[in-house]
Amino acid sequence: MDGTTHTQDDTWTVAGRTFTSRLIVGTGKYKDYAENAAAAEAAGAQIVTVALRRVNLSDPSQQMLVDYVKPDRFTYLPNTAGCFTGEEAVRTLRLAREAGGWDLVKLEVLSDPKLLYPDMEETLRALKMLISEGFQVMVYCTDDPVYARKLEDAGACAVMPLAAPIGSGMGILNKVNIGLIIEQAKVPVLVDAGLGTASDAAIAMEMGCDAVLMNTAISDARDPVRMATAMKHAVIAGRQAFLAGRMPRRVYGDPSSPQSGLI
């Protein structure tokens, strides 16, 4: 096993880009960029998501993320965290394309500051605007299978249903809905937001998600780098369990040893 979260022949592809790592990590809330970079390496991540409105990418007089989390090592996935309207989101991602040439982006349009739930009507409207401008858009969304299908039909290259509210660490609250989204999707499905610890990541992968995205679960851990390592192994374990196929659940006991030829 190498430093990524999976073996080299088990890949996933989004917008024509193929990855072996199924763990995407954020770049917020760490004590400094050095810790952020160490966590991203420990996670075996190949993609990092970047909140453009909160990270310094262009002022060389200040510390810059790109000096620590190198763009030639990681695929940058600009996101629209902190945007509450479609226009804000589109404007933010236009700046991303101008700054770094990034056209693979993560769309996130929130409803209100307390819940941090996606505003799905506004998200769908923003997605259509971005698609018309040639962006390849991974979309943060509620765990609503109907809206997930609408996003895919509108051109999303991946759907990213929340497990629970951003930063809550509650794990997957609605496995049924996440399962329905996975069942119907023809684009990658990534659980995004709400995961709290390694077992949450493993469950998401066991369910058949293509990948998971997390920030706070790692950055808010007592030891972020160690938690990043745990998340890497959890994603590996969950993915391997999904590929292996779990045993059937049974109401009654089933002996693990043969019942014939007993002494």
Side-chain angles (χ1 to χ4, degrees), residues 128-146:
K128 292 177 180 176
M129 288 191 280
L130 290 167
I131 294 295
S132 72
E133 296 188 18
F135 284 96
Q136 297 169 308
V137 191
M138 302 169 69
V139 187
Y140 173 60
C141 58
T142 59
D143 56 6
D144 180 341
V146 176

Side-chain angles (χ1 to χ4, degrees), residues 87-257:
E87 280 70 21
E88 285 180 335
V90 171
R91 186 167 56 250
T92 298
L93 293 176
R94 284 174 181 158
L95 291 173
R97 185 152 62 184
E98 291 175 8
W102 298 299
D103 59 4
L104 176 62
V105 296
K106 177 191 164 189
L107 173 63
E108 175 178 318
V109 183
L110 301 178
S111 53
D112 66 70
K114 182 177 180 180
L115 295 175
L116 297 180
Y117 257 62
D119 180 331
M120 290 312 304
E121 182 178 5
E122 195 69 359
T123 296
L124 182 57
R125 192 173 71 86
L127 171 63
K128 292 177 180 176
M129 288 191 280
L130 290 167
I131 294 295
S132 72
E133 296 188 18
F135 284 96
Q136 297 169 308
V137 191
M138 302 169 69
V139 187
Y140 173 60
C141 58
T142 59
D143 56 6
D144 180 341
V146 176
Y147 249 117
R149 186 187 300 123
K150 288 183 179 182
L151 296 172
E152 184 175 340
D153 291 345
C157 63
V159 292
M160 310 174 75
L162 56 78
I166 293 172
S168 67
M170 292 192 290
I172 299 177
L173 296 182
N174 195 330
K175 293 181 183 176
V176 173
N177 278 16
I178 296 291
L180 290 171
I181 291 171
I182 293 170
E183 180 180 295
Q184 73 181 11
K186 296 181 177 61
V187 296
V189 177
L190 295 78
V191 162
D192 178 8
L195 301 182
T197 189
S199 55
D200 298 334
I203 289 170
M205 297 308 298
E206 287 175 4
M207 293 177 64
C209 290
D210 293 279
V212 298
L213 188 154
M214 64 182 70
N215 188 89
T216 308
I218 296 175
S219 66
D220 278 13
R222 187 170 60 249
D223 183 339
V225 175
R226 179 168 290 193
M227 182 59 83
T229 302
M231 292 297 186
K232 176 179 75 173
H233 291 294
V235 169
I236 292 171
R239 176 65 179 172
Q240 293 300 315
F242 169 74
L243 293 175
R246 81 176 321 282
M247 62 164 283
R249 289 185 171 87
R250 302 183 178 96
V251 174
Y252 301 105
D254 183 39
S256 56
S257 300

Side-chain angles (χ1 to χ4, degrees), residues 45-118:
Q46 294 173 310
I47 305 175
V48 294
T49 186
V50 181
L52 287 175
R53 307 180 88 194
R54 297 171 180 153
V55 172
N56 175 34
L57 291 172
S58 57
D59 181 1
S61 68
Q62 305 292 324
Q63 281 201 326
M64 297 174 65
L65 177 66
V66 293
D67 292 332
Y68 294 83
V69 182
K70 305 284 188 181
D72 60 354
R73 161 72 179 83
F74 298 94
T75 295
Y76 270 44
L77 180 67
N79 70 56
T80 58
C83 292
F84 288 83
T85 70
E87 280 70 21
E88 285 180 335
V90 171
R91 186 167 56 250
T92 298
L93 293 176
R94 284 174 181 158
L95 291 173
R97 185 152 62 184
E98 291 175 8
W102 298 299
D103 59 4
L104 176 62
V105 296
K106 177 191 164 189
L107 173 63
E108 175 178 318
V109 183
L110 301 178
S111 53
D112 66 70
K114 182 177 180 180
L115 295 175
L116 297 180
Y117 257 62

